[in-house]
Amino acid sequence: MKKPALLMALAFISLSACAQTAQNITAAYAGMKFRVPGSPLIVGSIGANNDILLIKYSDAIGKRYISFSTENTLETGGCGRAEFFEATLSEKEIYGCDQASIESFRSVFVQGADAGTWKIANRVYYYFMSAQDSSFVFFQSKDGNLIKLESDFLDSDGFRQMVAGS
């Protein structure tokens, strides 16, 4: 009598645990936590100078991924990061920002993308959403690093859900 009851209890607990974890998992990067879709196939990290975290959801090369990277070497054209992103998102020239750097960034990230800013929990996120190619979100981490999120399948809502806990 005790064994069947114990087996049924374990089966119920196992099913409950599976149902709760299938939606999202927590990914930690740069001292922050992000809610990413559950059930990845591969999770990999390249530390040192590259500092990249890659989460793959497909066996196909270059398909269905989310990556996190530190982009402190982004060429901002001699101006601060906030001014640089403001200049790339608007048509106005900002004093001190090299126009060639701004145009270069625009040609890679802004052209053909829905671009703008989100303000979530006292942090500004600069987003560049593409329907055909990869989409990107840039923001400054708690320790002052410039973080780039990239995905070829997340939409605006998916990125917002991911950064909501950071």
Side-chain angles (χ1 to χ4, degrees):
M1 177 83 168
K2 290 181 182 180
K3 285 185 182 181
L6 181 61
L7 288 174
M8 288 191 55
L10 286 173
F12 178 74
I13 291 170
S14 297
L15 289 174
S16 297
C18 289
Q20 292 175 358
T21 59
Q23 294 292 329
N24 290 306
I25 60 173
T26 300
Y29 182 80
M32 297 176 289
K33 294 180 180 178
F34 301 88
R35 290 181 12 210
V36 298
S39 304
L41 296 179
I42 300 169
V43 176
S45 177
I46 303 172
N49 295 335
N50 296 320
D51 202 16
I52 297 170
L53 173 64
L54 179 66
I55 304 171
K56 288 265 302 151
Y57 296 87
S58 168
D59 287 332
I61 296 173
K63 299 290 182 196
R64 294 195 53 82
Y65 67 90
I66 299 171
S67 74
F68 301 77
S69 61
T70 302
E71 297 292 327
N72 289 332
T73 60
L74 178 70
E75 179 54 52
T76 60
C79 59
R81 291 176 183 156
E83 293 82 14
F84 174 76
F85 283 110
E86 183 181 332
T88 62
L89 294 170
S90 69
E91 292 301 318
K92 62 182 175 180
E93 281 192 43
I94 295 182
Y95 178 75
C97 292
D98 177 55
Q99 202 59 31
S101 296
I102 292 167
E103 289 304 320
S104 175
F105 187 89
R106 282 181 183 155
S107 71
V108 174
F109 294 99
V110 180
Q111 283 182 332
D114 175 27
T117 60
W118 301 317
K119 291 183 181 160
I120 304 171
N122 298 323
R123 184 173 282 132
V124 178
Y125 297 88
Y126 304 96
Y127 66 86
F128 307 91
M129 300 290 137
S130 174
Q132 300 86 6
D133 298 316
S134 293
S135 295
F136 301 89
V137 175
F138 292 86
F139 67 96
Q140 187 165 312
S141 68
K142 294 175 186 175
D143 60 1
N145 289 313
L146 182 63
I147 305 297
K148 177 178 78 175
L149 307 177
E150 178 180 351
S151 178
D152 67 335
F153 73 94
L154 287 179
D155 60 7
S156 177
D157 289 337
F159 273 108
R160 284 187 206 197
Q161 288 175 3
M162 187 170 70
V163 302
S166 63

mmCIF file of all heavy atoms in Angstrom, residues 29-30 32 34 68 81 85 123-126 137-142 144-149 163 166:
data_model
loop_
_atom_site.group_PDB
_atom_site.id
_atom_site.type_symbol
_atom_site.label_atom_id
_atom_site.label_comp_id
_atom_site.label_asym_id
_atom_site.label_seq_id
_atom_site.Cartn_x
_atom_site.Cartn_y
_atom_site.Cartn_z
ATOM 1 N N TYR A 29 24.467 36.373 -16.633
ATOM 2 C CA TYR A 29 25.534 36.958 -17.434
ATOM 3 C C TYR A 29 25.865 38.327 -16.858
ATOM 4 O O TYR A 29 24.973 39.106 -16.536
ATOM 5 C CB TYR A 29 25.104 37.096 -18.908
ATOM 6 C CG TYR A 29 26.196 37.645 -19.775
ATOM 7 C CD1 TYR A 29 27.212 36.825 -20.237
ATOM 8 C CD2 TYR A 29 26.248 38.995 -20.103
ATOM 9 C CE1 TYR A 29 28.242 37.326 -21.014
ATOM 10 C CE2 TYR A 29 27.267 39.503 -20.879
ATOM 11 C CZ TYR A 29 28.270 38.674 -21.330
ATOM 12 O OH TYR A 29 29.293 39.178 -22.096
ATOM 13 N N ALA A 30 27.134 38.623 -16.734
ATOM 14 C CA ALA A 30 27.629 39.925 -16.256
ATOM 15 C C ALA A 30 26.999 40.318 -14.923
ATOM 16 O O ALA A 30 26.666 41.480 -14.707
ATOM 17 C CB ALA A 30 27.398 41.007 -17.309
ATOM 18 N N MET A 32 24.086 39.626 -13.810
ATOM 19 C CA MET A 32 22.645 39.858 -13.898
ATOM 20 C C MET A 32 21.944 38.568 -14.299
ATOM 21 O O MET A 32 22.567 37.657 -14.838
ATOM 22 C CB MET A 32 22.349 40.960 -14.925
ATOM 23 C CG MET A 32 22.936 42.293 -14.522
ATOM 24 S SD MET A 32 22.703 43.561 -15.784
ATOM 25 C CE MET A 32 23.814 43.006 -17.032
ATOM 26 N N PHE A 34 18.690 36.812 -16.467
ATOM 27 C CA PHE A 34 17.795 37.003 -17.597
ATOM 28 C C PHE A 34 16.880 35.802 -17.721
ATOM 29 O O PHE A 34 17.318 34.667 -17.527
ATOM 30 C CB PHE A 34 18.599 37.158 -18.899
ATOM 31 C CG PHE A 34 19.560 38.310 -18.869
ATOM 32 C CD1 PHE A 34 20.845 38.146 -18.382
ATOM 33 C CD2 PHE A 34 19.165 39.557 -19.322
ATOM 34 C CE1 PHE A 34 21.730 39.210 -18.351
ATOM 35 C CE2 PHE A 34 20.035 40.618 -19.295
ATOM 36 C CZ PHE A 34 21.329 40.448 -18.803
ATOM 37 N N PHE A 68 24.821 36.660 -25.577
ATOM 38 C CA PHE A 68 25.132 37.760 -24.672
ATOM 39 C C PHE A 68 26.614 38.054 -24.866
ATOM 40 O O PHE A 68 27.427 37.133 -24.853
ATOM 41 C CB PHE A 68 24.925 37.348 -23.211
ATOM 42 C CG PHE A 68 23.541 36.897 -22.868
ATOM 43 C CD1 PHE A 68 23.097 35.627 -23.220
ATOM 44 C CD2 PHE A 68 22.683 37.725 -22.171
ATOM 45 C CE1 PHE A 68 21.824 35.200 -22.889
ATOM 46 C CE2 PHE A 68 21.398 37.301 -21.828
ATOM 47 C CZ PHE A 68 20.974 36.033 -22.195
ATOM 48 N N ARG A 81 28.339 56.793 -24.542
ATOM 49 C CA ARG A 81 27.440 55.781 -25.098
ATOM 50 C C ARG A 81 26.021 56.291 -25.277
ATOM 51 O O ARG A 81 25.403 56.060 -26.316
ATOM 52 C CB ARG A 81 27.438 54.546 -24.215
ATOM 53 C CG ARG A 81 28.746 53.799 -24.248
ATOM 54 C CD ARG A 81 28.718 52.637 -23.284
ATOM 55 N NE ARG A 81 30.007 51.969 -23.260
ATOM 56 C CZ ARG A 81 30.433 51.258 -22.243
ATOM 57 N NH1 ARG A 81 29.684 51.106 -21.172
ATOM 58 N NH2 ARG A 81 31.613 50.679 -22.285
ATOM 59 N N PHE A 85 24.182 56.446 -28.943
ATOM 60 C CA PHE A 85 22.940 55.763 -29.309
ATOM 61 C C PHE A 85 21.840 56.763 -29.661
ATOM 62 O O PHE A 85 21.057 56.530 -30.581
ATOM 63 C CB PHE A 85 22.486 54.800 -28.211
ATOM 64 C CG PHE A 85 23.280 53.528 -28.192
ATOM 65 C CD1 PHE A 85 24.161 53.256 -27.167
ATOM 66 C CD2 PHE A 85 23.160 52.603 -29.219
ATOM 67 C CE1 PHE A 85 24.898 52.080 -27.158
ATOM 68 C CE2 PHE A 85 23.891 51.432 -29.225
ATOM 69 C CZ PHE A 85 24.773 51.172 -28.189
ATOM 70 N N ARG A 123 16.766 51.459 -16.211
ATOM 71 C CA ARG A 123 17.830 51.175 -17.174
ATOM 72 C C ARG A 123 17.293 51.454 -18.573
ATOM 73 O O ARG A 123 16.142 51.174 -18.864
ATOM 74 C CB ARG A 123 18.284 49.719 -17.050
ATOM 75 C CG ARG A 123 19.458 49.419 -17.967
ATOM 76 C CD ARG A 123 20.039 48.040 -17.735
ATOM 77 N NE ARG A 123 20.864 48.081 -16.537
ATOM 78 C CZ ARG A 123 20.791 47.194 -15.558
ATOM 79 N NH1 ARG A 123 19.960 46.192 -15.619
ATOM 80 N NH2 ARG A 123 21.563 47.292 -14.510
ATOM 81 N N VAL A 124 18.150 51.986 -19.439
ATOM 82 C CA VAL A 124 17.767 52.270 -20.816
ATOM 83 C C VAL A 124 18.323 51.163 -21.712
ATOM 84 O O VAL A 124 19.507 50.828 -21.638
ATOM 85 C CB VAL A 124 18.308 53.642 -21.283
ATOM 86 C CG1 VAL A 124 17.940 53.903 -22.737
ATOM 87 C CG2 VAL A 124 17.773 54.759 -20.391
ATOM 88 N N TYR A 125 17.441 50.610 -22.532
ATOM 89 C CA TYR A 125 17.799 49.573 -23.501
ATOM 90 C C TYR A 125 17.612 50.157 -24.900
ATOM 91 O O TYR A 125 16.564 50.730 -25.198
ATOM 92 C CB TYR A 125 16.896 48.348 -23.342
ATOM 93 C CG TYR A 125 17.044 47.671 -22.000
ATOM 94 C CD1 TYR A 125 16.272 48.070 -20.909
ATOM 95 C CD2 TYR A 125 17.951 46.632 -21.822
ATOM 96 C CE1 TYR A 125 16.406 47.456 -19.676
ATOM 97 C CE2 TYR A 125 18.086 46.012 -20.596
ATOM 98 C CZ TYR A 125 17.320 46.434 -19.527
ATOM 99 O OH TYR A 125 17.455 45.815 -18.306
ATOM 100 N N TYR A 126 18.621 50.000 -25.747
ATOM 101 C CA TYR A 126 18.559 50.463 -27.133
ATOM 102 C C TYR A 126 18.319 49.236 -28.002
ATOM 103 O O TYR A 126 19.149 48.324 -28.027
ATOM 104 C CB TYR A 126 19.864 51.161 -27.516
ATOM 105 C CG TYR A 126 20.192 52.302 -26.583
ATOM 106 C CD1 TYR A 126 21.054 52.114 -25.507
ATOM 107 C CD2 TYR A 126 19.628 53.553 -26.771
ATOM 108 C CE1 TYR A 126 21.342 53.155 -24.631
ATOM 109 C CE2 TYR A 126 19.910 54.595 -25.913
ATOM 110 C CZ TYR A 126 20.768 54.394 -24.834
ATOM 111 O OH TYR A 126 21.046 55.423 -23.976
ATOM 112 N N VAL A 137 19.865 44.201 -28.821
ATOM 113 C CA VAL A 137 19.560 45.122 -27.735
ATOM 114 C C VAL A 137 20.878 45.441 -27.051
ATOM 115 O O VAL A 137 21.652 44.528 -26.714
ATOM 116 C CB VAL A 137 18.564 44.512 -26.722
ATOM 117 C CG1 VAL A 137 18.370 45.442 -25.534
ATOM 118 C CG2 VAL A 137 17.232 44.200 -27.392
ATOM 119 N N PHE A 138 21.156 46.732 -26.855
ATOM 120 C CA PHE A 138 22.352 47.188 -26.152
ATOM 121 C C PHE A 138 21.917 47.874 -24.868
ATOM 122 O O PHE A 138 20.912 48.589 -24.850
ATOM 123 C CB PHE A 138 23.135 48.200 -26.999
ATOM 124 C CG PHE A 138 23.777 47.638 -28.223
ATOM 125 C CD1 PHE A 138 23.062 47.524 -29.410
ATOM 126 C CD2 PHE A 138 25.106 47.239 -28.202
ATOM 127 C CE1 PHE A 138 23.657 47.022 -30.550
ATOM 128 C CE2 PHE A 138 25.706 46.735 -29.336
ATOM 129 C CZ PHE A 138 24.985 46.620 -30.516
ATOM 130 N N PHE A 139 22.707 47.713 -23.810
ATOM 131 C CA PHE A 139 22.454 48.429 -22.558
ATOM 132 C C PHE A 139 23.707 48.413 -21.704
ATOM 133 O O PHE A 139 24.623 47.615 -21.934
ATOM 134 C CB PHE A 139 21.268 47.838 -21.786
ATOM 135 C CG PHE A 139 21.512 46.459 -21.249
ATOM 136 C CD1 PHE A 139 21.942 46.267 -19.948
ATOM 137 C CD2 PHE A 139 21.307 45.345 -22.045
ATOM 138 C CE1 PHE A 139 22.169 44.990 -19.456
ATOM 139 C CE2 PHE A 139 21.526 44.068 -21.566
ATOM 140 C CZ PHE A 139 21.960 43.895 -20.257
ATOM 141 N N GLN A 140 23.739 49.297 -20.718
ATOM 142 C CA GLN A 140 24.868 49.354 -19.801
ATOM 143 C C GLN A 140 24.546 48.515 -18.573
ATOM 144 O O GLN A 140 23.491 48.674 -17.954
ATOM 145 C CB GLN A 140 25.154 50.800 -19.399
ATOM 146 C CG GLN A 140 26.422 50.932 -18.585
ATOM 147 C CD GLN A 140 26.891 52.363 -18.504
ATOM 148 O OE1 GLN A 140 26.961 53.051 -19.513
ATOM 149 N NE2 GLN A 140 27.201 52.805 -17.309
ATOM 150 N N SER A 141 25.477 47.624 -18.214
ATOM 151 C CA SER A 141 25.277 46.752 -17.057
ATOM 152 C C SER A 141 25.526 47.511 -15.763
ATOM 153 O O SER A 141 25.992 48.658 -15.782
ATOM 154 C CB SER A 141 26.206 45.535 -17.137
ATOM 155 O OG SER A 141 27.553 45.933 -16.973
ATOM 156 N N LYS A 142 25.261 46.851 -14.660
ATOM 157 C CA LYS A 142 25.455 47.461 -13.345
ATOM 158 C C LYS A 142 26.902 47.882 -13.118
ATOM 159 O O LYS A 142 27.159 48.854 -12.428
ATOM 160 C CB LYS A 142 25.034 46.476 -12.251
ATOM 161 C CG LYS A 142 23.571 46.162 -12.249
ATOM 162 C CD LYS A 142 23.245 45.087 -11.227
ATOM 163 C CE LYS A 142 21.782 44.677 -11.345
ATOM 164 N NZ LYS A 142 21.457 43.560 -10.450
ATOM 165 N N GLY A 144 28.958 48.925 -15.456
ATOM 166 C CA GLY A 144 29.386 49.903 -16.452
ATOM 167 C C GLY A 144 29.771 49.344 -17.803
ATOM 168 O O GLY A 144 30.166 50.098 -18.688
ATOM 169 N N ASN A 145 29.684 48.034 -17.992
ATOM 170 C CA ASN A 145 30.003 47.438 -19.289
ATOM 171 C C ASN A 145 28.845 47.612 -20.261
ATOM 172 O O ASN A 145 27.683 47.660 -19.859
ATOM 173 C CB ASN A 145 30.309 45.941 -19.138
ATOM 174 C CG ASN A 145 31.627 45.702 -18.459
ATOM 175 O OD1 ASN A 145 32.629 46.308 -18.805
ATOM 176 N ND2 ASN A 145 31.635 44.816 -17.475
ATOM 177 N N LEU A 146 29.181 47.688 -21.547
ATOM 178 C CA LEU A 146 28.164 47.730 -22.588
ATOM 179 C C LEU A 146 27.851 46.288 -22.975
ATOM 180 O O LEU A 146 28.736 45.552 -23.413
ATOM 181 C CB LEU A 146 28.648 48.516 -23.810
ATOM 182 C CG LEU A 146 27.628 48.648 -24.945
ATOM 183 C CD1 LEU A 146 26.399 49.431 -24.492
ATOM 184 C CD2 LEU A 146 28.276 49.310 -26.155
ATOM 185 N N ILE A 147 26.606 45.889 -22.797
ATOM 186 C CA ILE A 147 26.169 44.525 -23.079
ATOM 187 C C ILE A 147 25.355 44.530 -24.363
ATOM 188 O O ILE A 147 24.520 45.408 -24.581
ATOM 189 C CB ILE A 147 25.302 43.962 -21.926
ATOM 190 C CG1 ILE A 147 26.048 44.063 -20.593
ATOM 191 C CG2 ILE A 147 24.855 42.536 -22.219
ATOM 192 C CD1 ILE A 147 27.312 43.270 -20.494
ATOM 193 N N LYS A 148 25.610 43.520 -25.218
ATOM 194 C CA LYS A 148 24.838 43.341 -26.444
ATOM 195 C C LYS A 148 24.127 41.998 -26.373
ATOM 196 O O LYS A 148 24.749 40.968 -26.154
ATOM 197 C CB LYS A 148 25.740 43.366 -27.682
ATOM 198 C CG LYS A 148 24.970 43.118 -28.984
ATOM 199 C CD LYS A 148 25.856 43.189 -30.212
ATOM 200 C CE LYS A 148 26.647 41.917 -30.351
ATOM 201 N NZ LYS A 148 27.453 41.854 -31.573
ATOM 202 N N LEU A 149 22.814 42.032 -26.543
ATOM 203 C CA LEU A 149 22.009 40.824 -26.668
ATOM 204 C C LEU A 149 21.668 40.668 -28.134
ATOM 205 O O LEU A 149 21.342 41.646 -28.802
ATOM 206 C CB LEU A 149 20.720 40.952 -25.858
ATOM 207 C CG LEU A 149 20.853 41.339 -24.386
ATOM 208 C CD1 LEU A 149 19.479 41.501 -23.758
ATOM 209 C CD2 LEU A 149 21.683 40.330 -23.639
ATOM 210 N N VAL A 163 14.838 40.688 -20.392
ATOM 211 C CA VAL A 163 15.578 41.683 -19.600
ATOM 212 C C VAL A 163 14.812 42.163 -18.369
ATOM 213 O O VAL A 163 15.394 42.853 -17.529
ATOM 214 C CB VAL A 163 16.009 42.902 -20.456
ATOM 215 C CG1 VAL A 163 16.869 42.466 -21.612
ATOM 216 C CG2 VAL A 163 14.812 43.702 -20.931
ATOM 217 N N SER A 166 16.656 41.543 -15.162
ATOM 218 C CA SER A 166 18.084 41.862 -15.055
ATOM 219 C C SER A 166 18.379 42.980 -14.086
ATOM 220 O O SER A 166 17.599 43.723 -13.659
ATOM 221 C CB SER A 166 18.649 42.217 -16.417
ATOM 222 O OG SER A 166 18.054 43.365 -16.956
#
